[in-house]
Amino acid sequence: MKKIRVLAAALAFSVAFGGIATVTADEIDDMRNQQAASQAELEQVNQNIDALEADKNVLMGQIDSVGQELVLTIVQVETLASEIEAKNAELEVTAANLAAAEEDKAVQYEAMKKRIQYLYENGGNAGWATILLEESNITELLNQAEYTQKMYKYDRECLEQYAATVQQVADLQRQQQEEHAELVAMKNEQELQQANLETLLEELKATNADYDAALANAQEIANQYRDLIAQQSEQIAVLEEQKRQEELAAQAAAEEAARQQAAAEEAARQQAAAEQAQQNAANQVQQPEYNEPVYSEPEYSEPEYSEPDYSEPEYSEPEPSVPSGGSSAEGQAIADYACQFVGNPYVWGGNSLTNGTDCSGFVHLVYAAFGYSVPRSSASMPGAGYMSVSYTDMQPGDIICYSGHCGLYIGGGQMVHASNETVGIIISSNINYKPIIAIRRVV
């Protein structure tokens, strides 16, 4: 930039005092070479500006993409928070039901103990002996024994029924607690992803600000080069005009000298002609006969003409390419392959099927082993593959997408997925534990 200002000052000095010395062609050529160098520098700066703008456009695309993913992640965090709140409400209801079932069981158990106590206190061996001695009718005796047996059976069935009810409610509570833990883990994962995306977005915006500063600086340099080239053009115009005026003056001087020379030669010719006329008159010299020269035209032969070849080249029809596709057998192979990693740990952001990965990383890595590319984030997974399929048309290998989570369907109403840090990679038999938002087919 300093070089540009020095050269511009030199140009201004030469323009101001350019009429003092005679302009030579070398001076103009030297100025044109300087202008060409300035033009080359300007073109280089413009190329740098184009490159910076291209990089800035790519960066803006990244900012837009990260911003969109951040919005989706925030929505998923809010959705998971709502689902956790709903699951907490379900757990409260289940806990109340479990307490009621336990209380009913205890009440029934106490009532049965009292009936048994009563039977033993009023029956027992002595009681049965009294019945045997007092009852004279065998039918009455059997009826009393049968009635006692039915009471025992009824109490036992009631107690077993209450115990089964308590077990069902307890199983439901355990299932809801597992689902609650999985929702919390997914929410934590999405919140961590949200924080990472926010950090990345800030870094990209900072880089964009650097690009803006670099572009502004490059534009300033380009404007200075344009000013310099304009000054050089003015200097060249001044030098060329000065040289033209000098050439016109030299031409006028040469024409005046030539006119004077022609006048002198004409005077000498006229004097010689007069002297010759006087001599001719004195000697009576006869003019020689003048013979006009003969002009003959040369012979013309027309060149031979050959007809051009207008025949069309041979055309061969290109052979069509046959598209390749997947199959349900390959989907089953992918599902079988994925099940090999059941029991391995869950690691958010991890990229190892053995040492740990998250839900989207698990699906991504399994498909990568078969040469297929699917997204690396659960937010983008609903757009994976080439088609969406219905719940009834699922086949092994299809991707099941939830809000903030995904897994691989393996058939039989089951899926394999990287669940959370507590259980790792597992096979779940209840794929409807939360709403399914998409089922995507890759093969």
Side-chain angles (χ1 to χ4, degrees):
M1 199 180 304
K2 183 179 180 182
K3 183 179 80 171
I4 296 174
R5 295 196 180 97
V6 172
L7 185 54
L11 282 174
F13 180 83
S14 62
V15 169
F17 299 95
I20 296 178
T22 302
V23 177
T24 64
D26 290 341
E27 289 176 319
I28 296 177
D29 290 341
D30 181 60
M31 184 57 63
R32 285 176 176 165
N33 290 335
Q34 293 180 17
Q35 187 182 43
S38 299
Q39 186 66 41
E41 293 288 345
L42 176 59
E43 291 177 358
Q44 181 62 47
V45 173
N46 287 332
Q47 291 177 4
N48 294 339
I49 291 175
D50 292 340
L52 286 171
E53 289 179 343
D55 293 341
K56 178 179 170 63
N57 290 335
V58 173
L59 182 64
M60 291 302 296
Q62 293 177 350
I63 291 175
D64 291 340
S65 177
V66 172
Q68 293 174 5
E69 189 171 357
L70 177 59
V71 170
L72 291 175
T73 303
I74 292 173
V75 171
Q76 290 175 359
V77 169
E78 294 175 352
T79 302
L80 289 169
S82 299
E83 293 178 358
I84 290 173
E85 184 177 353
K87 190 62 66 176
N88 286 332
E90 292 179 3
L91 283 170
E92 291 178 0
V93 173
T94 303
N97 292 339
L98 181 60
E102 290 282 2
E103 184 178 353
D104 290 343
K105 177 185 174 183
V107 171
Q108 179 64 23
Y109 182 68
E110 290 298 326
M112 184 186 72
K113 287 197 299 182
K114 290 180 179 180
R115 284 194 294 272
I116 293 174
Q117 180 181 0
Y118 175 80
L119 290 175
Y120 273 99
E121 289 176 352
N122 295 280
N125 294 333
W128 283 109
T130 303
I131 292 173
L132 289 173
L133 293 174
E134 292 179 355
E135 290 292 342
S136 60
N137 189 337
I138 188 64
T139 301
E140 292 295 331
L141 177 63
L142 293 176
N143 286 339
Q144 289 190 26
E146 183 181 0
Y147 173 74
T148 303
Q149 183 66 29
K150 286 181 178 181
M151 289 186 64
Y152 279 121
K153 182 179 180 182
Y154 171 77
D155 287 336
R156 183 178 184 86
E157 289 176 352
C158 288
L159 188 60
E160 289 176 352
Q161 181 179 356
Y162 278 105
T165 301
V166 170
Q167 185 62 41
Q168 289 177 357
V169 177
D171 292 341
L172 177 59
Q173 185 184 49
R174 184 172 57 257
Q175 178 184 347
Q176 290 176 343
Q177 288 172 346
E178 292 175 356
E179 293 172 354
H180 179 271
E182 188 166 347
L183 289 171
V184 171
M186 287 190 294
K187 181 174 178 289
N188 293 337
E189 174 187 342
Q190 293 301 311
E191 288 176 343
L192 179 59
Q193 183 175 356
Q194 177 183 345
N196 293 335
L197 288 173
E198 289 173 347
T199 301
L200 177 59
L201 189 59
E202 291 299 323
E203 293 175 353
L204 291 175
K205 288 181 178 179
T207 304
N208 184 55
D210 294 339
Y211 274 112
D212 289 338
L215 280 170
N217 184 52
Q219 288 288 0
E220 180 182 357
I221 295 175
N223 292 334
Q224 291 180 0
Y225 270 115
R226 293 188 187 96
D227 294 341
L228 176 60
I229 291 171
Q231 293 177 17
Q232 289 170 333
S233 296
E234 292 177 1
Q235 173 68 359
I236 291 172
V238 170
L239 293 175
E240 288 179 340
E241 178 61 22
Q242 184 177 349
K243 188 173 184 299
R244 189 179 71 84
Q245 294 295 336
E246 292 173 354
E247 289 175 348
L248 289 175
Q251 182 180 357
E255 290 176 352
E256 178 62 22
R259 186 185 64 77
Q260 293 177 2
Q261 179 68 25
E265 291 177 352
E266 179 64 19
R269 187 186 65 78
Q270 290 178 358
Q271 183 179 358
E275 293 176 352
Q276 184 66 36
Q278 292 176 1
Q279 185 179 358
N280 290 339
N283 297 328
Q284 296 182 350
V285 178
Q286 186 177 3
Q287 289 289 336
E289 184 177 353
Y290 175 73
N291 296 322
E292 187 172 352
V294 179
Y295 296 94
S296 59
E297 293 184 0
E299 294 183 0
Y300 174 79
S301 60
E302 187 163 346
E304 294 182 0
Y305 175 78
S306 59
E307 185 72 20
D309 185 10
Y310 293 102
S311 60
E312 295 185 357
E314 294 183 0
Y315 175 78
S316 59
E317 185 73 20
E319 296 183 359
S321 60
V322 180
S324 59
S327 66
S328 58
E330 188 174 10
Q332 184 64 58
I334 291 173
D336 295 340
Y337 175 76
C339 291
Q340 298 177 10
F341 303 100
V342 170
N344 290 340
Y346 174 98
V347 176
W348 188 88
N351 287 300
S352 173
L353 291 171
T354 55
N355 297 327
T357 184
D358 52 25
C359 62
S360 60
F362 176 71
V363 175
H364 174 82
L365 293 171
V366 168
Y367 267 106
F370 287 81
Y372 293 96
S373 176
V374 299
R376 181 57 182 80
S377 67
S378 57
S380 302
M381 200 63 75
Y386 67 93
M387 66 178 295
S388 176
V389 297
S390 65
Y391 182 84
T392 57
D393 292 334
M394 275 194 301
Q395 68 181 27
D398 289 345
I399 302 175
I400 303 177
C401 304
Y402 305 91
S403 176
H405 192 59
C406 58
L408 285 173
Y409 184 65
I410 61 175
Q414 296 180 317
M415 75 170 177
V416 59
H417 60 132
S419 178
N420 54 57
E421 294 180 352
T422 303
V423 297
I425 299 175
I426 61 172
I427 293 177
S428 295
S429 57
N430 181 19
I431 63 175
N432 292 309
Y433 76 97
K434 60 180 297 186
I436 297 175
I437 63 175
I439 301 172
R440 301 295 300 179
R441 180 158 297 165
V442 180
V443 298

